[in-house]
Amino acid sequence: MNRTKKIIAVVLSVLMMLSCASLFAFAAEEETTLKFGDDGKFTILNFADIQDGYPLMTITKKLLQDTIKMVQPDLIVLTGDNISGGSTTTKVITRAAINEYMSIFEKAGIPTAAVFGNHDDESALADKDFQMSVYESYDCFVGYNEGDIIPGVGTYNLPIMSSDGEKIAFNIWMTDSGTYNSENDLGGYACTTKEQIAWYVEKSNELKAQNGGEIVPSINFQHIIVPDIYDALVECEEGTPNSIEKDGKFLTLPEGSTGVLHEAPCPPNYSNGQFQAFLQQGDVIATVCGHDHVNDFVVPYKGIDIINTPGVGFSSYNDDTVGSRVIVLDENDTSTYETYVLGYFDVYGDDEVAFYRYQAYSRTTDDLTKFVSWFKMIFAYIKALFA
């Protein structure tokens, strides 16, 4: 009798363990399933061009943390130049550099996706395959390495389910826009390849078929802006505010645009037809990039918004546009979205400590101002402690 009870007890224990394991697996799956909230909203926080090594600059780390606290996003998207590959010369340092910000996202429990930029894999010892394996080691990371199916590393899609979990309501395209051009003799930056574009078209058609023949509205994220941006910009007079000079012409944002144009966009010198494929498929409502650190704009062109997110890092060049982009989707109308840039001072307002911290770290302030700002920051911090 005692033996029978022991056997029953063991069986029950095993069943309970299996049940708990199943529940845990289900919970883990739920944590990584992107889904519209009960309010019908889904918020994406886009960080571009952290572009730092190890250790990550304190001001950048704090800005990432405080922006996440303010926005409380459903998804964080990194649009490349996440690290400065030239300064992360070994795999150990590269892993440590990635951990500087991924540990923040992991602690916050926010699903995170990433693509690579032209600076991420400048170290031959830590290529994009290795870096993707580092990202995949974090529970919060929802991206993946698609392997040798298509060129590059990190071209994939992320479906967002409806609030009731019944269907795919929206889709995120993550595209590896490459590094530098080796495809032809035109030089410059790399371009999304024909194979990647063919994969996009095939996957887009699959999503459409799964959705009863209706397209699934989507946003594309990549590092390098599409060459079509120069077709979208309009010619203007020299000296026009918010304009740049390119090949002897002065260009500015077209009517209906928002944001600022502080530097000439740097797309590839050629196109394999990515933007045309977006137009053909009709599912992409916006394509979002980083790369040009001091540009912050939304340019409507042929029914698709071409978007630049300013850099969030302080290690590389920046100006007062430094910050991140917030994109809010509404399940009730997925044909559009709300977006705004959350700049450094939008996060901190009139916080005196934050102001002097910015002055101390900003690459646009002179050395004397930086030096004095350190002391003012310390004084403001002490004053705040006793306020």
Side-chain angles (χ1 to χ4, degrees):
M1 186 69 175
N2 289 337
R3 185 180 178 185
T4 301
K5 287 182 177 179
K6 287 181 179 178
I7 292 172
I8 293 172
V10 169
V11 171
L12 288 173
S13 297
V14 171
L15 289 172
M16 287 178 66
M17 289 173 64
L18 289 172
S19 176
C20 288
S22 298
L23 285 170
F24 178 77
F26 177 76
E29 183 180 347
E30 285 294 303
E31 288 176 2
T32 55
T33 298
L34 303 180
K35 182 180 174 183
F36 280 89
D38 292 337
D39 61 353
K41 300 297 178 66
F42 189 92
T43 301
I44 300 168
L45 178 56
N46 174 208
F47 291 130
D49 300 275
I50 297 172
Q51 202 167 325
D52 206 342
Y54 177 81
L56 179 61
M57 289 181 75
T58 302
I59 190 170
T60 303
K61 183 178 289 190
K62 184 160 178 56
L63 180 57
L64 295 176
Q65 292 169 329
D66 293 339
T67 303
I68 291 169
K69 288 177 185 175
M70 176 175 283
V71 176
Q72 293 294 300
D74 298 296
L75 175 68
I76 292 170
V77 173
L78 306 178
T79 41
D81 283 2
N82 309 314
I83 62 172
S84 179
S87 65
T88 54
T89 52
T90 68
K91 288 184 176 180
V92 172
I93 297 175
T94 298
R95 186 184 295 275
I98 292 172
N99 185 65
E100 286 288 87
Y101 50 85
M102 284 302 295
S103 61
I104 295 172
F105 310 150
E106 185 91 307
K107 184 176 180 181
I110 308 296
T112 301
V115 291
F116 295 110
N118 54 292
H119 286 300
D120 285 293
D121 66 337
E122 289 179 318
S123 168
L125 297 176
D127 61 15
K128 289 191 286 191
D129 283 303
F130 169 76
Q131 290 181 42
M132 182 60 85
S133 73
V134 174
Y135 283 106
E136 290 176 327
S137 69
Y138 292 89
D139 291 337
C140 68
F141 190 68
V142 293
Y144 57 91
N145 188 347
E146 76 293 338
D148 298 328
I149 301 172
I150 47 179
V153 178
T155 295
Y156 54 93
N157 75 294
L158 298 170
I160 303 175
M161 304 302 293
S162 57
S163 55
D164 60 11
E166 293 297 318
K167 67 172 186 175
I168 297 174
F170 202 85
N171 184 62
I172 301 295
W173 301 107
M174 303 292 290
T175 305
D176 179 12
S177 56
T179 53
Y180 301 100
N181 178 23
S182 60
E183 186 175 346
N184 52 49
D185 60 0
L186 295 175
Y189 293 104
C191 184
T192 305
T193 67
K194 294 176 182 177
E195 293 86 354
Q196 287 174 295
I197 296 167
W199 171 86
Y200 152 72
V201 170
E202 180 181 358
K203 193 69 181 178
S204 172
N205 288 335
E206 286 179 15
L207 291 171
K208 182 177 179 179
Q210 292 171 21
N211 195 39
E214 297 291 328
I215 62 169
V216 177
S218 310
I219 290 178
N220 174 66
F221 290 92
Q222 63 189 53
H223 181 66
I224 299 173
I225 197 166
V226 291
D228 308 78
I229 183 60
Y230 278 106
D231 295 322
L233 297 179
V234 295
E235 197 166 348
C236 64
E237 296 292 329
E238 181 179 0
T240 299
N242 210 26
S243 65
I244 54 96
E245 188 269 335
K246 176 74 171 178
D247 299 330
K249 295 181 180 180
F250 294 90
L251 304 170
T252 190
L253 301 176
E255 186 177 350
S257 302
T258 59
V260 297
L261 183 65
H262 282 177
E263 65 174 311
C266 295
N269 293 327
Y270 65 106
S271 172
N272 281 319
Q274 182 187 27
F275 194 82
Q276 287 67 36
F278 291 160
L279 292 172
Q280 169 194 308
Q281 293 301 112
D283 57 347
V284 172
I285 61 175
T287 180
V288 184
C289 69
H291 190 47
D292 303 319
H293 299 196
V294 296
N295 281 344
D296 146 30
F297 55 67
V298 178
V299 174
Y301 183 60
K302 295 185 176 181
I304 298 175
D305 290 340
I306 302 176
I307 298 177
N308 202 113
T309 297
V312 73
F314 281 78
S315 181
S316 186
Y317 77 96
N318 63 15
D319 64 11
D320 58 6
T321 61
V322 64
S324 57
R325 180 172 295 280
V326 179
I327 298 172
V328 182
L329 306 173
D330 189 334
E331 185 179 19
N332 296 310
D333 184 4
T334 52
S335 66
T336 187
Y337 60 93
E338 175 191 355
T339 187
Y340 56 91
V341 165
L342 201 58
Y344 181 89
F345 292 104
D346 295 318
V347 175
Y348 295 110
D350 58 0
D351 184 305
E352 194 175 16
V353 176
F355 173 79
Y356 289 120
R357 183 168 62 243
Y358 179 87
Q359 293 289 90
Y361 280 100
S362 175
R363 298 170 69 91
T364 60
T365 54
D366 60 79
D367 290 340
L368 178 60
T369 302
K370 286 178 185 290
F371 180 76
V372 173
S373 294
W374 278 104
F375 291 98
K376 289 184 176 180
M377 178 177 65
I378 294 169
F379 178 75
Y381 180 74
I382 294 171
K383 187 172 69 173
L385 287 176
F386 294 95

